[in-house]
Amino acid sequence: MKNQEQRSATIAAQAAGATDSATGGVVPGISLSTTYLRGPDYVPLRPDNIYGRDANDTVRQAEEVIRRLEGAAASLLFPSGMAAVAAVFRALPSGARVVMQNGIYWGTLKWVRDYCLRRAIILDEIDAAKPEALAEACRSSADMVWIETPSNPWLRTVDIAAASGVAHKSGAVLVVDGTAATPVLTRALDLGADLVMHSATKALNGHSDVLAGVLSCRDPGNPMWQEIATDRHDAGAIIGPFEAWLLMRGMRTLPLRVERMSANALAVAEYLAAHPRIETVYYPGLASHVGHEIARRQMQGGYGYLLSALVVGGRARALEVVGRLQLFHRATSLGGVESLVEHRHTIEPHTGIPENLIRLSVGIEAVEDLIADLAQALEG
Ligand SMILES: *Cc1c(COP(=O)(O)O)cnc(C)c1O
């Protein structure tokens, strides 16, 4: 069977074919060496392995799993999602123009604003979920368009294929942060994105015990990709082999986890949407969601694990509900097997997040238990 014909579940479960050829182990070992041998003739035993900052077999194996899941030409791992974001922006020339979706992951927005100021990069923030706003921003030439779909914490949905059309017309590369979708639900490169980024800290690893980020590209000849690869190599934003190995272990169950998390999240969203103590639910799987039609077209097999809801009664009530939850851990982050709840306004008080917004990352627990926990917290 040709590799391309395998489904995500097969690629992930078998770690894209990685085994331990040295011991015959079904599971590959961790290659910890920072340097590699040369023979008496001073020729490297493996010409692709010279020094640990350049290359590592465990990192390559984890990258191969993601490359295959993404349908990408190449994938590169970074020590965190933010390191992957930074790697993309560092590849832009000074004076470049970037069109960026607003209301996305706060860590990205904050760093990008600071960086663009320092590098004299023109940053236009727009509501990319509105096609007219994106088209308008792309009427003048741009170097890069950055979108995040579904977005965190608003769950706004951007039509990747349409965004790719307008981005390319303006001469820009389209970069998609697909963290909340994962390559299991959305393959952004197939839809026309040039680069796709994920915080692998989230659902890709899925066990809240590894920090990692990843970039993948459709065309390895893309000059921006060349810059990114050279910069990672030369400047050393390298993930450790132990983290890469744990990530590969986590990803074996990625399609299974995403399927369960998405089913649970939809049930939780439907429950909350019908609850008198909830004002609004933001989840792309609900027919009432503004981005539902787009999500239906570009998300396959589920709508993801992330949702937000507005609690009737304002800040105090929202914090009360969060405080009463017993199964949902009160913690930031998302995409783990265990469900988390967050009061976003406490984390980013000055960005327009409503004070009664709670954000849920739904895990793989029995959904009846999750709903019972929400019921007692809302009714108490
Ligand atoms: C968490 C997150 C990031 C940043 O990733 P880290 O691994 O925490 O550095 C970027 N984008 C989105 C959508 C995220 O949720």
Side-chain angles (χ1 to χ4, degrees):
M1 182 158 43
K2 285 220 312 268
N3 286 347
Q4 284 75 5
E5 289 164 3
Q6 289 180 3
R7 309 294 197 277
S8 298
T10 309
I11 296 165
Q14 304 215 352
T19 54
D20 191 343
S21 53
T23 65
V26 167
V27 174
I30 309 178
S31 175
L32 290 169
S33 193
T34 55
T35 189
Y36 302 92
L37 293 170
R38 289 169 180 266
D41 52 1
Y42 212 66
V43 172
L45 298 194
R46 282 254 318 257
D48 55 342
N49 277 350
I50 307 290
Y51 182 58
R53 176 151 42 69
D54 312 329
N56 176 281
D57 280 4
T58 309
V59 174
R60 283 197 192 99
Q61 285 165 343
E63 287 171 343
E64 179 63 7
V65 176
I66 299 168
R67 188 191 72 75
R68 296 264 311 275
L69 291 175
E70 201 78 79
S75 297
L76 289 171
L77 275 169
F78 291 83
S80 71
M82 284 314 302
V85 173
V88 174
F89 277 81
R90 280 210 303 268
L92 290 168
S94 295
R97 177 168 176 265
V98 174
V99 174
M100 182 137 187
Q101 184 178 352
N102 62 20
I104 59 170
Y105 176 67
W106 170 235
T108 302
L109 272 181
K110 180 185 178 301
W111 181 83
V112 165
R113 284 173 186 165
D114 290 351
Y115 182 81
C116 288
L117 259 178
R118 279 185 274 132
R119 290 288 176 279
I121 292 170
I122 302 159
L123 181 65
D124 279 342
E125 290 180 36
I126 52 123
D127 182 356
K130 296 208 173 88
E132 328 80 65
L134 187 58
E136 178 61 35
C138 288
R139 245 185 274 288
S140 20
S141 78
D143 298 278
M144 179 164 85
V145 172
W146 184 287
I147 60 174
E148 180 182 295
T149 186
S151 70
N152 173 5
W154 290 104
L155 285 305
R156 290 194 186 119
T157 309
V158 184
D159 185 329
I160 297 170
S164 130
V166 290
H168 291 160
K169 243 189 251 161
S170 79
V173 295
L174 176 67
V175 188
V176 176
D177 180 340
T179 300
T182 81
V184 175
L185 301 180
T186 303
R187 299 213 324 185
L189 302 175
D190 291 351
L191 297 169
D194 299 286
L195 302 182
V196 58
M197 173 261 156
H198 296 276
S199 167
T201 311
K202 313 297 169 51
L204 282 181
N205 179 62
H207 294 76
S208 308
D209 53 11
V210 173
L211 278 173
V214 66
L215 296 174
S216 303
C217 73
R218 190 152 44 88
D219 167 17
N222 177 339
M224 203 165 163
W225 183 257
Q226 299 296 333
E227 287 276 347
I228 289 167
T230 304
D231 191 69
R232 189 190 75 158
H233 174 276
D234 294 356
I238 292 292
I239 192 171
F242 186 57
E243 281 73 17
W245 188 89
L246 274 176
L247 173 59
M248 188 163 41
R249 180 192 223 257
M251 287 191 297
R252 286 180 188 269
T253 55
L254 173 68
L256 207 56
R257 285 185 283 107
V258 168
E259 188 183 321
R260 176 64 170 263
M261 292 195 296
S262 299
N264 282 358
L266 180 60
V268 166
E270 284 169 346
Y271 171 77
L272 291 177
H275 201 288
R277 294 195 173 163
I278 294 291
E279 263 171 44
T280 311
V281 178
Y282 300 99
Y283 184 67
L286 294 179
S288 58
H289 185 76
V290 285
H292 180 64
E293 274 314 304
I294 297 166
R296 236 164 46 101
R297 267 184 279 126
Q298 76 182 18
M299 301 182 84
Q300 252 86 57
Y303 297 95
Y305 52 90
L306 194 62
L307 64 103
S308 295
L310 303 181
V311 179
V312 174
R315 175 190 180 86
R317 272 292 300 166
L319 279 167
E320 256 172 58
V321 170
V322 166
R324 265 200 297 269
L325 285 166
Q326 288 166 8
L327 272 180
F328 285 81
H329 293 298
R330 286 170 289 278
T332 194
S333 199
L334 40 124
V337 291
E338 64 290 303
S339 295
L340 302 180
V341 62
E342 195 175 39
H343 183 250
R344 264 322 286 174
H345 188 271
T346 303
I347 310 296
E348 40 171 321
H350 308 299
T351 65
I353 303 289
E355 296 196 44
N356 62 337
L357 183 141
I358 61 173
R359 193 191 73 193
L360 302 179
S361 173
V362 180
I364 63 166
E365 300 94 336
V367 72
E368 297 84 350
D369 292 338
L370 295 176
I371 289 175
D373 192 29
L374 288 162
Q376 65 77 25
L378 283 163
E379 276 141 36

Coordinates of all heavy atoms in Angstrom, one line a residue, residues 9 32 139-140 158 165 182 196 204 210 247 297 308 318:
A9 N -5.7 7.1 11.1 CA -5.6 6.2 12.2 C -4.5 5.2 12.0 O -3.8 4.9 13.0 CB -6.9 5.5 12.4
L32 N 19.5 9.8 21.9 CA 19.9 11.0 22.8 C 21.2 11.6 22.4 O 21.5 12.7 22.9 CB 19.9 10.5 24.3 CG 18.6 10.2 24.9 CD1 18.8 9.5 26.2 CD2 17.7 11.4 25.1
R139 N -6.5 43.6 -0.8 CA -6.5 44.3 -2.1 C -5.1 44.9 -2.3 O -4.7 45.0 -3.5 CB -7.6 45.4 -2.0 CG -8.7 45.1 -3.1 CD -9.7 46.1 -3.2 NE -10.8 46.0 -2.3 CZ -11.7 45.0 -2.3 NH1 -11.7 44.2 -3.3 NH2 -12.7 45.0 -1.4
S140 N -4.4 45.4 -1.3 CA -3.0 45.8 -1.5 C -2.1 44.6 -1.3 O -2.5 43.7 -0.6 CB -2.7 47.0 -0.6 OG -3.5 47.1 0.5
V158 N -12.7 30.3 9.7 CA -12.3 30.9 8.5 C -12.3 29.9 7.3 O -11.8 28.8 7.5 CB -10.9 31.6 8.6 CG1 -10.6 32.4 7.3 CG2 -10.9 32.5 9.8
G165 N -7.3 31.8 -1.8 CA -7.5 32.5 -3.0 C -7.2 34.0 -2.9 O -6.4 34.5 -3.7
T182 N -6.6 20.2 14.5 CA -5.6 19.1 14.3 C -5.7 18.6 12.9 O -6.8 18.8 12.2 CB -5.8 17.9 15.2 OG1 -6.9 17.1 14.7 CG2 -6.1 18.2 16.7
V196 N 1.2 25.3 7.5 CA 0.3 25.1 8.6 C 1.1 24.9 9.9 O 2.2 24.3 9.9 CB -0.7 23.9 8.4 CG1 0.1 22.6 8.1 CG2 -1.7 23.7 9.5
L204 N -2.2 17.3 19.6 CA -1.3 16.4 18.9 C -0.7 15.5 20.0 O -0.6 14.3 19.8 CB -0.3 17.2 18.1 CG -0.7 17.8 16.8 CD1 0.5 18.4 16.1 CD2 -1.2 16.7 15.9
V210 N 4.0 17.6 27.3 CA 5.1 17.9 26.4 C 4.8 19.3 25.8 O 3.6 19.6 25.4 CB 5.2 16.9 25.2 CG1 6.1 17.4 24.1 CG2 5.5 15.5 25.6
L247 N 5.9 12.8 22.2 CA 5.0 13.3 21.2 C 4.5 12.2 20.3 O 3.3 12.0 20.0 CB 5.5 14.5 20.5 CG 4.7 15.1 19.3 CD1 3.3 15.6 19.8 CD2 5.5 16.2 18.6
R297 N -18.0 22.1 5.9 CA -17.3 21.8 4.7 C -15.8 21.5 5.0 O -15.2 20.6 4.3 CB -17.3 23.0 3.8 CG -18.5 23.0 2.8 CD -18.4 24.1 1.8 NE -19.0 25.3 2.4 CZ -18.4 26.5 2.5 NH1 -17.2 26.6 2.0 NH2 -19.0 27.5 3.0
S308 N -16.5 27.7 23.9 CA -16.6 28.7 24.9 C -18.1 29.0 25.2 O -19.0 28.7 24.3 CB -16.0 30.0 24.5 OG -14.6 29.9 24.4
A318 N -20.0 33.5 36.6 CA -19.1 32.6 35.8 C -18.0 32.0 36.7 O -17.7 30.8 36.6 CB -18.5 33.5 34.7

